[in-house]
Amino acid sequence: MELDEFKQILQSIKSEEHFVHSDETLQRIIHSKTSSVIDKIKKSIVFEFAVGIIFIAASIWTWFSYPGGYVRPFSMLTIMLCCYFFIYLFNLYRKMNTYESASPAVREKLQQVINILQEFVRVYFQLSILVLLIAFIFGLITGYLRVAGDAAIIKFNWQRALFLYIGWFAIWSVFTYFFSKWYVKRLYGNYLQQLKGHLKDLENG
């Protein structure tokens, strides 16, 4: 074997070793950055657990403080929705922990985390809109029962009352829609974009 051929083979081996080393280093760096993002997501989940507990405590206090037939259904609905949402939060937290315990070779696992978080954000926003719809229906039923059950109310303009209620609720819905988008983006959406950026870096090498 000539000296030039030997040098070419040696250079090729060094290049392959450098590539493998660089790939492993990149995966470790991205795994570290992703773990940092996931820690922030977990803090957001814990924060929402705390907020949910506050809502449940407030609903229980309302249940006993205002035992009227129109207040307790709202309290029960709030408690049920919080408990239902706790299931999603717990599953998301558990899946984030599963990722952190994975090996540094994380391309597939990172893609799974992104898919899970995207689905969670979608369900979160849909749940916010669903709560609005439920609140609207409950408000109509409560208003009707309150007026119909009050003998002191002789004349009541149902058309005017319905128009005002729908107008007020439309304004509240628009506010809730934009607030929900901002809230979800702040707690999860921004971190989701960071994870997508890390995955892109990992794929591009």
Side-chain angles (χ1 to χ4, degrees):
M1 180 182 295
E2 296 183 0
L3 182 60
D4 290 339
E5 293 180 356
F6 177 77
K7 287 181 179 181
Q8 289 178 359
I9 294 173
L10 183 61
Q11 185 65 33
S12 175
I13 294 174
K14 288 183 178 180
S15 298
E16 291 177 0
E17 290 178 350
H18 176 73
F19 175 78
V20 172
H21 177 73
S22 299
D23 187 60
E24 292 177 352
T25 302
L26 177 63
Q27 291 192 49
R28 285 196 298 269
I29 292 173
I30 291 186
H31 184 270
S32 176
K33 290 182 178 180
T34 304
S35 296
S36 177
V37 174
I38 287 179
D39 283 338
K40 295 176 182 178
I41 294 174
K42 288 166 64 177
K43 289 179 182 178
S44 295
I45 296 172
V46 172
F47 169 77
E48 294 217 274
F49 264 116
V51 172
I53 291 173
I54 292 173
F55 269 104
I56 290 177
S59 298
I60 294 173
W61 178 83
T62 304
W63 176 281
F64 290 104
S65 300
Y66 301 94
Y70 309 117
V71 176
R72 287 189 168 179
F74 281 100
S75 299
M76 180 59 67
L77 177 64
T78 301
I79 293 173
M80 291 175 60
L81 287 174
C82 287
C83 292
Y84 179 75
F85 192 56
F86 281 168
I87 296 174
Y88 276 94
L89 290 176
F90 176 77
N91 286 333
L92 182 62
Y93 193 92
R94 179 176 56 82
K95 289 172 181 177
M96 295 298 105
N97 278 335
T98 300
Y99 170 82
E100 285 190 312
S101 62
S103 61
V106 292
R107 182 179 286 108
E108 294 78 10
K109 184 62 69 174
L110 181 54
Q111 183 63 64
Q112 291 175 13
V113 170
I114 290 173
N115 293 339
I116 291 167
L117 197 56
Q118 283 183 150
E119 177 68 14
F120 177 78
V121 168
R122 184 184 64 82
V123 172
Y124 194 121
F125 188 73
Q126 289 179 348
L127 182 62
S128 300
I129 303 303
L130 178 62
V131 169
L132 273 177
L133 179 61
I134 294 174
F136 178 77
I137 296 173
F138 263 63
L140 284 177
I141 296 173
T142 301
Y144 172 79
L145 294 176
R146 186 178 183 86
V147 174
D150 193 344
I153 301 177
I154 301 175
K155 293 183 179 181
F156 187 81
N157 191 328
W158 287 101
Q159 185 176 2
R160 180 171 178 268
L162 186 61
F163 177 78
L164 291 175
Y165 176 74
I166 292 176
W168 173 87
F169 203 88
I171 295 173
W172 174 251
S173 297
V174 171
F175 169 79
T176 303
Y177 173 82
F178 286 105
F179 175 79
S180 298
K181 290 193 71 173
W182 170 83
Y183 184 77
V184 173
K185 183 175 183 294
R186 181 175 178 82
L187 284 185
Y188 304 104
N190 293 333
Y191 300 135
L192 177 59
Q193 294 304 317
Q194 291 182 37
L195 292 177
K196 288 181 178 180
H198 295 332
L199 179 61
K200 185 177 181 180
D201 291 340
L202 195 61
E203 291 175 342
N204 293 336

